[in-house]
Amino acid sequence: MNPVNYLYLAALLFTIGAAGVLIRRNAIVVFMCVELMLNACNLAFVTFSRMHGNLDGQIIAFFTMVVAAAEVVVGLAIIVSVFRARHSASVDDASLMKL
Amino acid sequence: MENLIALLIGAPLLGAAVLLLGGRRLDRTGHWLGTLLAAASFVIALVLFVDMLGKGAEDRALHQTLFTWIPVGTFQADMAFQLDQLSMTFVLLITGVGTLIHVYSIGYMEHDERRRRFFGYLNLFVAAMLLLVLADNYLLLYFGWEGVGLASYLLIGFWQHKPSAATAAKKAFIVNRVGDMGLSIAIMLMFTTFGTFAFGRVLEASDQASEGKLTAIGLMLLLAACGKSAQVPLQSWLGDAMEGPTPVSALIHAATMVTAGVYLIVRSADIFNAAPDAQLVVTVVGAVTLLFGAIVGCAKDDIKKALAGSTMSQIGYMILAAGLGPIGYVFAIMHLVTHGFFKAGLFLGAGSVMHGMNDEVDMRKYGGLRKYMPVTFVTFGLGYLAIIGFPGLSGFFSKDKIIEAAFAKGGTEGWILGAVTLLGAAITAYYMTRVMLMTFFGEKRWQPDAEGHEPHPHESPKSMVIPMILLAVGSVGGGAVFEFSGFVEWLEPVTGFEHGHAPISAAAVTAATVAVMVIGVGLAYLQYGRGPVPVVAPRGSLLTRAARRDLLQDDFNHAVFVTGGTHLTRSLVYVDHSLVDGVVNGTAAAVGGLSGRLRKLQNGYARTYAVSMFGGTAVLIAATLLMRAV
């Protein structure tokens, strides 16, 4: 099967993730969409690794997973504490950084 | 011997310091200390004078360097003095007449509770003037020059509780600043041209500089001289300076202050000799001032202001003579010295009259005082005869020489200057006779003042009378002594001298001088001597009324400088507000408005920021691809 199709899939997943980040209000869903974008990137890395015949892309995919895991820990902790403080997980409610 | 020069200045300076810092403990003795130190300075001057007479003409100049005043790299300003024949003449005049005025002030200021301070200022004045004439470079001269300005300010405004005196002091100081600016510019020009301030080196090198530069230096020096010597156009302070106590007026007009301008020009003779255009301006200023002062003197009813007009006029003679070049320098100084005697005598006489008349200055309220104040009458009368140039008295010799030199200038200029000096002599005779007749002759015209005190004119105390007698002796004999003792040969090594060749003979000039004097005296007698003098001044002609207002000098200054200056600053303020502030404020408003709009982008929604991040990334990727495609 032509490896380019995997790239199309990665692009599709990335777009869905990006659209979710921009459109959705629920912090959990936005967070999941960020993960979706990261995994789309991972898919692209692995695909390129296969196409070019070296392992660099696969190694970077592992790095991405580690970073994503760390990010999940921090990000979920923030979301939980925001939820506790404001009784809402909507990102629009946390729009305090403005004059 | 040269070590004594610093003592000349040191004695009065010490007096000023002790009297001004000493406090009330010196109230009882301060005036004696001040007088003693001024006299000490005079004695030192006499010692130096005798020593100088014993030497040959060429090695009479003494130098003393105390220390280097301002050492900056190769630039050096020395605290150094030079005593040559010209300085010696001034030193004798300043300390001699100055000491007499100190003695006089003991009596005159007896009832003033601030007498100690007054003597401190007098000593300061004398010290500053001595520094001015003894300096051996222009920078040190400038120091003395400013000291004279300060001391005159303090003394003119001595009765500072009177608003008029305080204003007069400020006026004198400010008008003098204009002249001082001229001197400082002249000194800067000298430094850029010659690289030094020392008299010796500047004056020796003066024929190497371009004439344009020398003319500029000369004109700036003239501006300085105009300020200190009250010459047109900076003459307006002199009349108001009469607000000071009378001894101060005598000191300013005879020994210190107004003579400084003449000294400056004669001292800078080499510069003026090489700049004929500047010399011409000097003579014009002198000629204009001598008529200006004389006309003002004719109209004033205030005895001191009439004498002030007279001083302005006589200094005009000196400046004119100094502008004539080597044919005139010596006579300028000669007239300066004789004038120092008779003008000091006249002012002290006027002070004596005021002392006896409850400080009344209006001559229309005097009359017939010769019976009450015989000594004042005689001494004032001798001063009067000297100033109008009565044959044989001092003014006759010195003024006659200036008139002769003016004719000897040659050409049309010579005739014009000669005519002006003759006319000035006639007016001098007129206004001085007027003063004399109104004060000492006729019927008594004084009346009780508002509180019913009638003045009881009386002769002044001995301390005031003796200086007047001594000055009268000087007024009588001074001219003849100078004429026959070789004053010309004495000054010649410093100022240079050439015999002028007048188109008319010396005898004719003398005859003309005496004739115009008689005419002036006669006119004044016809007007003031035959009938009673009205107590209230008549309206007078247009010229009289203008002269009473000092020929509108203050109106002119007000219209040109005050009003003009106000309009200038107003327009500058307008430009500042509209243009300069407009640019600054406009920039600020534009930046502020733009930021106000940009601020709206910051709405706090996380996704808006995310959009801008995505957008930015997209643009970057697009740009990268585009660059690669190209």
Side-chain angles (χ1 to χ4, degrees), chain A residues 18 22 25 37 92 94-95 97-99, chain B residues 599 602-605 607 609-611 614:
Chain A
L22 295 183
R25 291 202 177 124
M37 286 161 74
D92 284 5
S95 62
M97 280 177 63
K98 64 175 179 184
L99 286 170
Chain B
R599 196 180 65 176
Q602 307 283 332
N603 56 11
Y605 292 120
R607 52 198 152 82
Y609 305 125
V611 167
F614 276 113

Side-chain angles (χ1 to χ4, degrees), chain B residues 120-145:
Chain B
Y121 292 156
L122 280 189
N123 272 350
L124 182 65
F125 209 162
V126 170
M129 191 65 193
L130 287 172
L131 181 63
L132 197 163
V133 298
L134 284 171
D136 97 322
N137 57 67
Y138 280 99
L139 204 61
L140 195 56
L141 180 146
Y142 189 70
F143 187 13
W145 189 271

Side-chain angles (χ1 to χ4, degrees), chain B residues 108-409:
Chain B
Y108 192 85
M109 300 299 281
E110 194 171 2
H111 304 298
D112 196 302
E113 57 189 27
R114 291 164 72 228
R115 179 163 64 165
R116 169 184 57 82
R117 188 179 289 265
F118 182 78
F119 274 82
Y121 292 156
L122 280 189
N123 272 350
L124 182 65
F125 209 162
V126 170
M129 191 65 193
L130 287 172
L131 181 63
L132 197 163
V133 298
L134 284 171
D136 97 322
N137 57 67
Y138 280 99
L139 204 61
L140 195 56
L141 180 146
Y142 189 70
F143 187 13
W145 189 271
E146 293 296 312
V148 169
L150 168 70
S152 66
Y153 167 79
L154 292 171
L155 283 168
I156 293 168
F158 187 71
W159 286 324
Q160 65 216 179
H161 52 84
K162 286 197 295 184
S164 57
T167 314
K170 278 186 274 183
K171 187 175 179 185
F173 198 72
I174 291 168
V175 175
N176 265 292
R177 296 303 309 172
V178 179
D180 296 349
M181 195 192 64
L183 184 56
S184 61
I185 293 175
I187 292 176
M188 291 175 208
L189 279 176
M190 278 174 202
F191 190 71
T192 55
T193 313
F194 306 109
T196 173
F197 308 116
F199 286 150
R201 280 183 284 164
V202 168
L203 298 176
E204 268 167 30
S206 58
D207 48 347
Q208 290 156 18
S210 71
E211 191 178 321
K213 247 183 181 167
L214 289 172
T215 307
I217 294 176
L219 289 178
M220 284 298 124
L221 288 174
L222 174 65
L223 181 66
C226 282
K228 264 305 171 259
S229 294
Q231 300 293 296
V232 175
L234 299 179
Q235 80 290 3
S236 63
W237 64 271
L238 193 70
D240 292 298
M242 294 300 113
E243 287 294 335
T246 310
V248 175
S249 309
L251 197 59
I252 287 180
H253 286 241
T256 56
M257 190 95 183
V258 295
T259 54
V262 183
Y263 172 79
L264 184 68
I265 292 182
V266 174
R267 175 58 81 194
S268 314
D270 288 345
I271 291 175
F272 282 96
N273 289 345
D277 292 339
Q279 268 187 326
L280 184 66
V281 180
V282 173
T283 51
V284 169
V285 165
V288 169
T289 310
L290 90 85
L291 289 182
F292 189 106
I295 292 170
V296 170
C298 291
K300 290 285 183 185
D301 288 330
D302 179 328
I303 185 169
K304 284 177 75 183
K305 291 201 170 165
L307 290 177
S310 153
T311 301
M312 204 190 287
S313 170
Q314 299 300 317
I315 303 280
Y317 270 105
M318 298 167 209
I319 295 280
L320 189 152
L324 293 174
I327 56 173
Y329 292 131
V330 175
F331 302 129
I333 300 300
M334 188 163 151
H335 194 53
L336 192 152
V337 178
T338 57
H339 174 260
F341 279 111
F342 56 68
K343 188 49 66 65
L346 288 171
F347 264 111
L348 296 190
S352 172
V353 169
M354 287 162 58
H355 195 73
M357 294 292 290
N358 291 352
D359 286 332
E360 176 62 63
V361 291
D362 188 351
M363 291 191 291
R364 293 187 184 275
K365 295 183 181 148
Y366 292 166
L369 289 177
R370 68 180 186 281
K371 282 171 281 187
Y372 303 93
M373 308 178 172
V375 184
T376 305
F377 167 63
V378 172
T379 53
F380 195 93
L382 289 172
Y384 154 74
L385 290 177
I387 193 174
I388 65 171
F390 192 80
L393 273 70
S394 62
F396 169 75
F397 291 105
S398 52
K399 200 187 286 179
D400 192 49
K401 289 275 191 275
I402 291 181
I403 296 173
E404 208 182 309
F407 276 112
K409 167 92 173 160

